[in-house]
Amino acid sequence: MEPPAVKHGFLRNILVRIFSFAVLVFAARFAIIVTVHGGSCDSSDFCFFSDNLNLTTRAQISSTGDPFSGKNWRRSVEYYAGVFQDLIAEGSLSPNSRALCIDTPTGEDVLALKEVGVVDSVGIFKKPSPPLIVKGEGRRQPFSGDAFEFEFSGNGGLERSPRPAEFAAEVSRTLRPGGFLAVHTAARDAYSFNSFLELFNCCELIRTREINGVDSSPVLEILMKKKMPEFQTSDSSSNGNSVNKCSIPGYKREIVKNAEALIVEEPLKPWITLKRNLKNIKYLTSLVDISFKNRYVYVDVGARSYGSSIGSWFRKQYPKQNRTFEVYAIEADKAFHEEYRTKKGITFLPYAAWVRNETLFFEITRDPSKKVMMKGRGMGRINPVQTSSSHMGDMDKIQGFDFANWLKSVVTSRDFVVVKMDVEGTEFHLIPRLIQTGAICLIDELFLECHYNRWQRCCPGQRSAKYQKTYSECLDLFASLRNIGVLVHQWW
């Protein structure tokens, strides 16, 4: 009879051989999968690795770092092939076309073009992956003018671009007259769609259609054709000083219909009303997509201190859709000027918004019992008076400037512009001037404080003589703005 130690050694040798054989089988199986299937496993395969194992080349790596397995990448190629075959069938794409895919990180659309017969195709992305993708960006194409008959953007590059107008300008430069531009985008509301069309004023709209995207989510396919040179028209609205009057388009008028109702009954305590009304305000950015705007600008007219509205409200509460806004603060009261010198990211204008450029005298209405620079309280407000030296009392001299013309020189209709206006009664001069010059059409959203003879806190039953306008006249001002299509909100 064999000793126990010998028997245990024999069993151990058998187990080691079985385990070694199993490892050899699994290694061979994995090698076959990688060689034959390109690194992905079918559902019937026995794999130790998920389908998302990164065994592909850099051309198959997305900008977000999510790798494509061979199966998923191939599915995307087939999807785009179907899209391009439809375009070939309707005549907007030809096998003889020279084609460009813009901001394509993985190149499936480029390969799809080649597979459907458009062999002279290339993609651009910030990280090149030859031979499908060369180095470039949507707003910096490395090609000469009129280089392509067809251009395609299907990866959300336009929505992500920090300067969509530059993106559109590069398409206009490199797309030949008569060439076609196809874009897949999430734009489906009228505001974002019209913003898109305004970017590409070099082209005429051919059609739109809603289709399923690569991941089966709905996308809007927009097809445009570049105008021939003899039909090119200048965009008069892009230069603020080229037109005097404007007409707000119908799609913006429809947005106004969805705004919160105006407060018809005069509030006895306006500051309490403001806090309540803030919860009811329907911000434009909560109603529409603003991705296709070139710049994002906030102008605070009558800014007071930084904490009054810029710091406490706009930067903390206004919904910005993850966009970075350029901020302009306009404040004539010298008591607030020093504070803005230390604020970064704000362009400060130490002047009075007015209807023309001239030197003005303003009556200072500071409360002598309180400190002027109380943060966020807005002390030291100023009121315009007659430009005369015969009534100098407690006056201050300041430079006024034509706000409407300034606005037209700073922004265009391609920009997204938000204005807050608190100008101590001057709104009854500034608003008509904005309408007269057409600058009102450049403002996407207006927060307006209208000043009237409010009830006095100190003296029940008595109204302040500081302003001559009534609450009814303020309501008429708000209603008239909404009637012409301006999205205006009551501010207090």
Side-chain angles (χ1 to χ4, degrees):
M1 184 175 180
E2 295 181 353
V6 175
K7 183 178 294 186
H8 289 166
F10 177 77
L11 291 175
R12 184 168 54 251
N13 290 337
I14 293 176
L15 290 174
V16 168
R17 292 180 181 181
I18 293 175
F19 179 79
S20 301
F21 180 77
V23 170
L24 181 61
V25 170
F26 294 152
R29 181 63 171 166
F30 177 74
I32 293 173
I33 291 171
V34 172
T35 304
V36 177
H37 296 285
S40 66
C41 300
D42 296 326
S43 59
S44 60
D45 287 325
F46 179 69
C47 302
F48 289 110
F49 302 91
S50 69
D51 285 351
N52 292 327
L53 180 67
N54 183 8
L55 297 171
T56 57
T57 65
R58 191 171 62 180
Q60 293 169 289
I61 305 299
S62 70
S63 61
T64 59
D66 295 326
F68 282 96
S69 69
K71 182 175 63 176
N72 292 334
W73 194 77
R74 185 64 216 172
R75 186 184 299 118
S76 297
V77 173
E78 293 171 355
Y79 166 80
Y80 286 117
V83 170
F84 296 138
Q85 285 171 344
D86 290 343
L87 294 173
I88 291 175
E90 64 185 37
S92 51
L93 177 62
S94 166
N96 298 322
S97 299
R98 189 182 184 204
L100 171 67
C101 295
I102 306 171
D103 286 340
T104 173
T106 54
E108 307 100 312
D109 42 4
V110 183
L111 182 58
L113 280 167
K114 293 179 179 294
E115 290 190 355
V116 299
V118 187
V119 294
D120 193 3
S121 303
V122 69
I124 57 172
F125 191 62
K126 56 187 177 182
K127 294 182 180 179
S129 296
L132 296 179
I133 304 170
V134 300
K135 184 178 179 60
E137 294 183 62
R139 59 195 185 106
R140 295 189 186 90
Q141 294 187 20
F143 307 107
S144 59
D146 298 342
F148 299 96
E149 288 89 10
F150 178 82
E151 297 194 19
F152 176 72
S153 175
N155 290 285
L158 181 56
E159 288 95 328
R160 294 191 302 270
S161 176
R163 287 286 185 267
E166 296 177 11
F167 186 108
E170 280 294 86
V171 170
S172 177
R173 182 181 67 84
T174 59
L175 185 63
R176 294 178 185 175
F180 289 88
L181 167 68
V183 179
H184 285 186
T185 175
R188 281 180 292 277
D189 63 77
Y191 184 93
S192 59
F193 178 70
N194 281 276
S195 299
F196 174 92
L197 295 182
E198 194 168 10
L199 283 176
F200 292 95
N201 61 344
C202 64
C203 303
E204 60 178 322
L205 177 66
I206 301 301
R207 65 152 176 80
T208 64
R209 65 169 181 166
E210 190 168 294
I211 61 176
N212 290 329
V214 178
D215 58 356
S216 299
S217 62
V219 298
L220 184 69
E221 182 178 82
I222 304 175
L223 182 65
M224 307 188 78
K225 183 178 181 179
K226 187 176 179 181
K227 300 171 185 176
M228 302 301 289
E230 57 267 30
F231 296 112
Q232 291 272 14
T233 57
S234 61
D235 181 14
S236 60
S237 64
S238 64
N239 184 346
N241 294 311
S242 61
V243 293
N244 287 328
K245 293 185 178 180
C246 66
S247 177
I248 297 177
Y251 70 90
K252 287 190 175 182
R253 295 172 182 266
E254 290 297 318
I255 294 174
V256 173
K257 294 180 181 179
N258 296 320
E260 74 282 356
L262 296 174
I263 300 173
V264 177
E265 184 177 352
E266 178 183 348
L268 298 178
K269 298 179 180 179
W271 280 104
I272 296 178
T273 302
L274 169 62
K275 293 180 180 180
R276 293 174 179 172
N277 195 48
L278 275 175
K279 300 177 181 179
N280 299 326
I281 288 178
K282 295 184 178 179
Y283 296 101
L284 180 56
T285 47
S286 66
L287 300 173
V288 301
D289 176 24
I290 62 173
S291 299
F292 298 116
K293 288 297 185 178
N294 185 38
R295 296 161 58 219
Y296 304 89
V297 180
Y298 173 66
V299 182
D300 198 320
V301 190
R304 313 190 208 186
S305 67
Y306 173 80
S308 177
S309 55
I310 296 177
S312 63
W313 168 69
F314 182 76
R315 285 191 162 170
K316 291 183 178 180
Q317 298 183 44
Y318 186 83
K320 304 177 188 64
Q321 295 188 10
N322 294 321
R323 301 291 171 173
T324 300
F325 277 71
E326 302 172 32
V327 177
Y328 291 84
I330 301 173
E331 178 53 60
D333 192 344
K334 296 177 181 179
F336 299 105
H337 292 184
E338 184 66 29
E339 178 184 13
Y340 283 99
R341 293 178 182 175
T342 61
K343 298 299 180 183
K344 296 182 180 180
I346 297 178
T347 301
F348 180 62
L349 283 73
Y351 312 113
W354 188 233
V355 297
R356 52 187 169 270
N357 299 325
E358 64 177 348
T359 300
L360 300 171
F361 290 97
F362 283 84
E363 179 185 359
I364 306 302
T365 59
R366 300 184 178 95
D367 186 342
S369 65
K370 298 179 181 179
K371 293 182 179 180
V372 169
M373 293 303 291
M374 286 182 68
K375 190 172 182 180
R377 292 297 299 276
M379 290 292 143
R381 301 303 298 133
I382 51 183
N383 295 320
V385 297
Q386 296 284 339
T387 56
S388 169
S389 58
S390 60
H391 301 87
M392 288 303 294
D394 188 9
M395 301 283 186
D396 199 1
K397 186 172 69 173
I398 197 70
Q399 181 64 42
F401 71 104
D402 190 330
F403 173 69
N405 278 342
W406 172 84
L407 187 66
K408 293 169 70 175
S409 70
V410 172
V411 301
T412 74
S413 59
R414 293 183 177 185
D415 301 324
F416 182 79
V417 181
V418 179
V419 174
K420 191 228 77 180
M421 185 178 291
D422 177 7
V423 288
E424 298 296 318
T426 310
E427 61 270 11
F428 286 96
H429 300 281
L430 292 181
I431 295 299
R433 174 66 175 167
L434 289 168
I435 295 174
Q436 177 191 14
T437 59
I440 194 71
C441 290
L442 300 174
I443 300 175
D444 291 274
E445 192 166 20
L446 174 62
F447 296 84
L448 174 64
E449 178 171 352
C450 187
H451 297 80
Y452 61 94
N453 55 347
R454 299 176 178 178
W455 296 109
Q456 296 191 64
R457 290 183 179 180
C458 65
C459 312
Q462 295 185 22
R463 291 184 178 274
S464 171
K466 185 177 178 182
Y467 305 108
Q468 301 302 314
K469 299 295 182 179
T470 65
Y471 187 76
S472 177
E473 290 176 290
C474 284
L475 272 181
D476 290 341
L477 180 60
F478 283 108
S480 65
L481 285 169
R482 287 195 174 184
N483 286 339
I484 65 174
V486 178
L487 181 60
V488 60
H489 308 282
Q490 289 172 296
W491 200 255
W492 308 92

